[in-house]
Amino acid sequence: MSQKTHIAQTEPFRWEDVPVLAYKEDGGTHFRSITRQVLFDDGDAAGSQLRYFEIAPGGHSTLERHDHIHSVMVLRGCGQALVGREIHALQANDLVRVPPQTWHQFRATAGEPLGFLCVVRTERDKPRLPTVAELAELRADGRIGPFVRA
Ligand code: MN
């Protein structure tokens, strides 16, 4: 990861020498149509990373939880975020905080991609997916059941 002090945008939501990566290297079936760009990486375990994710129209991120926190800012598009037991409508410049061990999932509306910045600690635990029992319990909750995809 470069330690450059300035990285120019090359086209909308793309930056010089920042590769556009698959969402998660290990593959999986719990998400759809997402790219990931690591914009900053402090390079030490005590530091943080700033990533830019883009979910294709109608796509969604993994339904997961973990110890580390997400601090998110929406840059483009519209969508929704499940955080805990609530679903929030999202638009550009909205902020979302995902507390520790809180179920979360982001979804883009059908019409356009949802792009957002997300800050995480460099050293962080692996996301955990819901068990069959946990998924059944989430789906049984009328507030969020119809929203969750897994
Ligand atoms: Mn997460």
Side-chain angles (χ1 to χ4, degrees):
M1 169 58 53
S2 97
Q3 301 295 324
K4 286 191 286 192
T5 53
H6 173 253
I7 301 170
Q9 180 177 251
T10 52
E11 55 187 290
F13 309 102
R14 298 289 183 268
W15 294 269
E16 200 170 65
D17 298 327
V18 175
V20 179
L21 305 170
Y23 174 43
K24 290 185 176 172
E25 300 90 339
D26 55 352
T29 57
H30 294 266
F31 56 90
R32 218 178 66 197
S33 312
I34 309 187
T35 59
R36 174 172 63 94
Q37 297 175 77
V38 180
L39 306 180
F40 292 113
D41 184 344
D42 290 339
D44 73 289
S48 60
Q49 289 182 350
L50 178 66
R51 300 93 47 86
Y52 175 73
F53 292 96
E54 203 165 273
I55 306 180
H60 59 90
S61 66
T62 312
L63 175 62
E64 62 181 31
R65 66 179 178 179
H66 37 66
D67 287 334
H68 62 274
I69 289 166
H70 289 316
S71 300
V72 169
M73 182 177 189
V74 178
L75 288 194
R76 71 179 300 192
C78 295
Q80 292 168 292
L82 165 71
V83 182
R85 300 291 168 153
E86 295 188 332
I87 296 165
H88 306 281
L90 299 180
Q91 58 183 358
N93 302 314
D94 282 0
L95 303 173
V96 180
R97 180 175 184 276
V98 178
Q101 289 301 333
T102 303
W103 294 116
H104 55 285
Q105 183 165 49
F106 292 82
R107 189 191 293 185
T109 55
E112 57 184 324
L114 178 69
F116 56 91
L117 298 170
C118 179
V119 181
V120 288
R121 294 200 309 254
T122 299
E123 189 172 80
R124 56 188 184 273
D125 60 317
K126 255 181 97 89
R128 200 171 64 69
L129 306 178
T131 63
V132 170
E134 286 168 339
L135 188 57
E137 197 270 321
L138 291 167
R139 286 193 163 132
D141 185 328
R143 291 169 293 178
I144 59 172
F147 181 84
V148 302
R149 292 179 180 169

